[in-house]
Amino acid sequence: MRKLKNSELDRLSVDAFKEAEKTPLIIVLDNIRSLNNIGSVFRTSDAFLIEKIYLCGITAKPPHKDIHKTALGSTDTVDWEYVENTLDIVEKLQADNVKICAIEQAENAIMLNDFKTEAHTKYALVFGNEVKGVAQNVVDKSDFVIEIPQFGTKHSLNISVSCGVVTWDLFSKLQQ
C-alpha cells in the first residue's frame, strides 16, 4: 500500500467548507485552560463538519499562536463564538431545541456506546475543564450526561481525546 499525498486527499477548500452542510453537532468548551487542547478541538471539529464551537469562561480565543499550532488553520473554517458564561449558552441552545450532552462521569450517566441519537435532532457536546470537568450547574441543566467507558487504571482522558472519541461516535450514529 502506498500512503496518499495531501494533494490526493480531495479535501474541501475553506469556502467549500463554509458552504457545506454541517453535522448537527455543536461543541461547547467549558473553561478549557490548555491552548493546545483548544486547537485540537478545532481540528477535530473541522474533520467532522461541526456546526459551531462555543468557547466559554477562561477558554482562550483565536488568534493565538498556541491554538494555531494544533488547529492548523481550522480556526478559519469552523464557526466559533466566545460566551463568558457556559450556562448562558446552554440555556440559549436549549431554547433553540438543541439537546445538551455533558461529557462527564456522573450518577446515571449513559455510556457512550449505549447513547442513541434521534433523527432530526441537534446536539451540543459540553467538554469541561482539564481538572474540574464540566461545571456542576451545567451538568444539572444538561439533557444527557454521557460517559466514555474506560477500563484501565486512570480516571479520565485528555479533553482533546475525549472530544475526538465522542464526536466520531455521534457523527457515525448521525450518519445512519
Side-chain angles (χ1 to χ4, degrees):
M1 257 184 256
R2 177 183 67 80
K3 288 176 29 176
L4 296 175
K5 298 176 184 173
N6 283 348
S7 61
E8 297 175 283
L9 295 178
D10 194 32
R11 297 293 191 233
L12 297 175
S13 68
V14 172
D15 290 336
F17 182 95
K18 296 245 182 224
E19 293 185 19
E21 183 178 347
K22 302 299 187 284
T23 306
L25 291 174
I26 294 167
I27 305 290
V28 178
L29 298 183
D30 180 26
N31 290 295
I32 303 303
R33 57 186 186 162
S34 165
L35 294 123
N36 291 325
N37 282 338
I38 298 163
S40 293
V41 169
F42 268 94
R43 203 150 130 207
T44 297
S45 297
D46 177 278
F48 298 111
L49 286 169
I50 298 306
E51 186 174 304
K52 189 168 188 173
I53 299 173
Y54 286 97
L55 308 169
C56 304
I58 66 167
T59 307
K61 307 174 291 264
H64 191 288
K65 66 181 179 75
D66 290 332
I67 293 173
H68 181 73
K69 182 170 53 174
T70 49
L72 293 178
S74 56
T75 55
D76 297 329
T77 55
V78 179
D79 191 22
W80 64 272
E81 182 179 335
Y82 176 77
V83 177
E84 186 173 344
N85 187 316
T86 307
L87 196 55
D88 290 344
I89 193 58
V90 163
E91 290 173 346
K92 179 187 181 304
L93 291 169
Q94 283 178 320
D96 292 337
N97 295 314
V98 176
K99 297 294 184 187
I100 307 299
C101 302
I103 311 307
E104 189 55 86
Q105 297 163 325
E107 294 174 338
N108 302 313
I110 302 167
M111 290 298 157
L112 179 60
N113 50 303
D114 294 328
F115 184 76
K116 307 281 188 245
T117 58
E118 298 174 19
H120 312 294
T121 302
K122 189 178 294 185
Y123 297 91
L125 309 175
V126 184
F127 296 92
N129 177 274
E130 292 88 342
V131 174
K132 298 178 182 178
V134 177
Q136 184 64 54
N137 64 345
V138 174
V139 170
D140 292 341
K141 193 73 175 168
S142 296
D143 298 296
F144 305 99
V145 177
I146 299 174
E147 182 175 339
I148 301 169
Q150 296 175 56
F151 305 98
T153 61
K154 299 302 168 198
H155 298 279
S156 66
L157 296 168
N158 179 283
I159 189 268
S160 65
V161 173
S162 295
C163 182
V165 168
V166 175
T167 302
W168 165 249
D169 185 79
L170 268 63
F171 175 86
S172 298
K173 290 172 179 173
L174 290 166
Q175 302 305 307
Q176 298 173 1

